[in-house]
Amino acid sequence: MTSQVRGVQLARLLGQWHALPGRRRSPDYAALAGAVRGLLADGRLPLGVRLPAERELAEALRISRTTVTAAYRQLRETGHLASRRGAGSWTMLPGNHRVASSGLWTPLDDLDMIDLGCAALSAPPQLVPAARAAAEDLPRYLCGAGYHPTGIVELREAVADSYTARGLPTSPDQIMVTSGTQHALDLVLRLALAPGGSVLVESPTYPNALAALAARRARITTHGLAADGAGWDGDLLLGSLRQSRPKLAYLIPEFHNPTGHLMPADLRERVVAAAHAAGTDLVVDESFVDLPLDGTPLPPPVATFDRHSRVISIGGMSKPYWGGLRIGWVRASAPQVQRLAAARVGVDMASPVLDQLVAVHLLADAPAIVSARRAQLTAQRDALLGALAQRLPDWRVTVPRGGVTLWAELDGPISSALARAAEEVGVRLAPGPRFGLDGTLERFLRLPFTLPASDLVEAVDRIAGVRYDLDRAARPQWREPVVIA
Ligand SMILES: Cc1ncc(COP(=O)(O)O)c(C=O)c1O
């Protein structure tokens, strides 16, 4: 983990802190302290890291050292910084609270908070009957030791069948069950990427994938997605693969998180060919593949175009079913699955048998569960779009044809400032920069539609209220003398 953040790094993370609407409300030092608190709250600045010395940060930000001294003092007073004379200052949270460095964190005692930071549904009603049925099945497994590094065979069969049904013939020995899609990604990275290896990702992308890549100290290049229209620019994406020849590319072609884009079939085919020519392994995250909305037809899986075992697909139960199950999988060649299972023995040995049995029962009921989920998500998406059109008409949104999130283009580079202000009125947001690498994407905000429609409408109402306040605070208290010429 990073133990020290240098002045230039913190300056990059802070981005446009001095130009944010609302900042005239407070002096420079308070705006700086507020921006650091915002970075800590959403996980972009980890806890326990040493901040740069005051002089170094002042130089990096081109502001006076007194301003930094006052900001650090305020952060100490609010409990966000611990300093020891001569040793430096470390980030912390008030009351020694802890936050995952990924920022995916919900305090359980905060019941009034509308949490739009997390894009996942609550469990479907079929979960409890599935768990009961799984408990009935359990005796079949109790005479063995219970370790199944690639997963229990009945779940591998069910997952393989779902790929076959999508037009990609798959046998159970091509499937490895994991503890969630995130775990699948981590294992694949351990196998396919040496520390410091080069990786291409979309920008924006899923933040916890960036966290997994950071753990491998990956050297990351990005392919920028358009907020509207097609999303991927095929020629640019292929050009990046050809030029940078990364060891690995991580893509989310099925209702991409956060933008909701769906990669068209012809680009899938071209990407696989270009990856093969560049010697790049493709990790395809299919977390949202079960959630097309509006009857949107699905293109063939990316792996359909793969002739050289270049494509590793990952997916899981979290989005269509329930994240609390922690069941995901990898689809790869049978030898790759064996290598992954060997790597896993040094990590967690195997996934829980009981949870895998629950997954088997849920998958057996897939048509009913998934179609109810789609109907629920469609209604919630439409409620969110309606509230946005009414309360924040200047924001631009492309209607997502699947998945669980929309990516709003805001009316200014205000995403982090808005997230901080929204927290004050009980709405947790994941601001745009969480989905990128370099503190950019301040004009964007991801909004999931996984909560009930009434919560979404209430959240938009509160967000619109604080958006308006940001503007009012930004308005100067004095007027420029009018030049008459
Ligand atoms: C693109 C993507 N990949 C992986 C995950 C993690 O999924 P899981 O809960 O299965 O680990 C998520 C969850 O939001 C996601 O959006």
Side-chain angles (χ1 to χ4, degrees):
M1 198 189 90
T2 337
S3 56
Q4 181 168 12
V5 55
R6 286 183 293 118
V8 281
Q9 291 171 319
L10 185 53
R12 203 177 317 126
L13 280 175
L14 285 164
Q16 300 287 318
W17 67 275
H18 54 288
L20 291 176
R23 93 151 210 58
R24 287 221 175 97
R25 195 192 316 199
S26 49
D28 278 359
Y29 77 86
L32 179 57
V36 171
R37 278 196 297 273
L39 290 175
L40 277 170
D42 71 22
R44 274 180 284 159
L45 186 60
L47 294 180
V49 292
R50 199 160 86 204
L51 289 193
E54 291 166 6
R55 184 190 303 277
E56 188 190 336
L57 183 59
E59 272 167 22
L61 292 174
R62 295 187 196 164
I63 56 176
S64 80
R65 184 173 167 186
T66 338
T67 305
V68 179
T69 307
Y72 277 17
R73 188 184 317 117
Q74 191 183 74
L75 286 167
R76 271 192 296 276
E77 283 163 11
T78 55
H80 292 84
L81 209 58
S83 303
R84 254 204 341 264
R85 191 177 291 278
S89 300
W90 285 266
T91 54
M92 59 186 282
L93 284 183
N96 256 334
H97 281 302
R98 295 209 58 85
V99 157
S101 62
S102 70
L104 181 71
W105 171 80
T106 313
L108 294 173
D109 53 353
D110 212 347
L111 295 177
D112 285 339
M113 183 68 81
I114 303 180
D115 190 354
L116 297 186
C118 184
L121 291 159
S122 56
Q126 292 87 344
L127 199 113
V128 171
R132 287 209 182 94
E136 296 289 317
D137 288 344
L138 197 54
R140 283 198 273 121
Y141 285 87
L142 297 181
C143 52
Y147 297 108
H148 303 267
T150 56
I152 62 171
V153 72
E154 48 195 305
L155 180 54
R156 286 189 288 129
E157 275 167 3
V159 174
D161 288 350
S162 70
Y163 278 103
T164 305
R166 286 171 56 208
L168 181 63
T170 302
S171 65
D173 60 3
Q174 288 180 268
I175 301 295
M176 173 164 127
V177 177
T178 61
S179 301
T181 316
Q182 182 69 21
H183 180 219
L185 175 61
D186 184 71
L187 281 175
V188 169
L189 293 180
R190 281 166 198 262
L191 192 74
L193 190 71
S198 54
V199 178
L200 177 79
V201 301
E202 292 134 340
S203 174
T205 188
Y206 174 54
N208 294 341
L210 291 176
L213 289 169
R216 301 296 293 163
R217 301 194 184 282
R219 282 178 295 120
I220 302 180
T221 50
T222 54
H223 169 68
L225 296 186
D228 51 5
W232 296 267
D233 179 320
D235 292 339
L236 279 182
L237 176 56
L238 267 48
S240 305
L241 284 170
R242 283 193 204 105
Q243 276 160 26
S244 56
R245 306 174 81 85
K247 177 71 191 72
L248 190 143
Y250 168 79
L251 301 175
I252 315 172
E254 331 282 354
F255 310 115
H256 174 265
N257 181 3
T259 62
H261 291 309
L262 178 63
M263 187 185 280
D266 61 327
L267 184 54
R268 291 169 187 238
E269 185 165 10
R270 291 165 66 208
V271 166
V272 173
H276 178 57
T280 301
D281 290 323
L282 278 183
V283 180
V284 174
D285 187 330
E286 302 183 316
S287 288
F288 302 96
V289 70
D290 289 322
L291 299 173
L293 307 179
D294 311 323
T296 302
L298 280 175
V302 173
T304 315
F305 303 103
D306 182 25
R307 308 271 172 276
H308 305 94
S309 300
R310 279 278 166 213
V311 178
I312 299 181
S313 311
I314 59 177
M317 302 292 288
S318 295
K319 301 302 159 167
Y321 301 90
W322 190 46
L325 267 184
R326 309 308 308 133
I327 294 291
W329 48 79
V330 179
R331 180 199 181 273
S333 69
Q336 283 171 320
V337 164
Q338 290 307 315
R339 286 203 292 280
L340 282 167
R344 169 191 211 160
V345 168
V347 181
D348 71 336
M349 317 264 270
S351 294
V353 171
L354 185 56
D355 302 49
Q356 293 183 69
L357 287 168
V358 179
V360 170
H361 283 280
L362 290 172
L363 289 177
D365 209 1
I369 299 177
V370 171
S371 69
R373 296 304 236 190
R374 290 181 193 160
Q376 177 189 357
L377 285 167
T378 308
Q380 288 169 187
R381 177 200 62 183
D382 293 346
L384 177 60
L385 287 168
L388 287 171
Q390 209 189 356
R391 300 287 281 119
L392 291 155
D394 294 337
W395 290 13
R396 294 204 334 207
V397 283
T398 306
V399 178
R401 300 283 170 213
V404 302
T405 58
L406 60 83
W407 185 236
E409 185 171 355
L410 312 182
D411 50 337
I414 53 166
S415 200
S416 297
L418 191 64
R420 287 197 290 280
E423 186 105 16
E424 301 291 311
V425 292
V427 180
R428 179 163 296 122
L429 295 175
R434 291 279 294 118
F435 301 85
L437 275 176
D438 41 14
T440 57
L441 302 172
E442 277 290 3
R443 288 188 75 88
F444 296 93
L445 181 66
R446 183 190 75 172
L447 293 169
F449 37 93
T450 41
L451 293 179
S454 55
D455 284 357
L456 296 173
V457 172
E458 170 67 24
V460 172
D461 214 45
R462 293 188 201 174
I463 295 169
V466 290
R467 170 68 194 94
Y468 174 66
D469 285 349
L470 288 183
D471 271 349
R472 271 200 315 191
R475 208 169 289 144
Q477 304 299 307
W478 42 270
R479 293 192 177 277
E480 298 266 0
V482 181
V483 180
I484 301 173

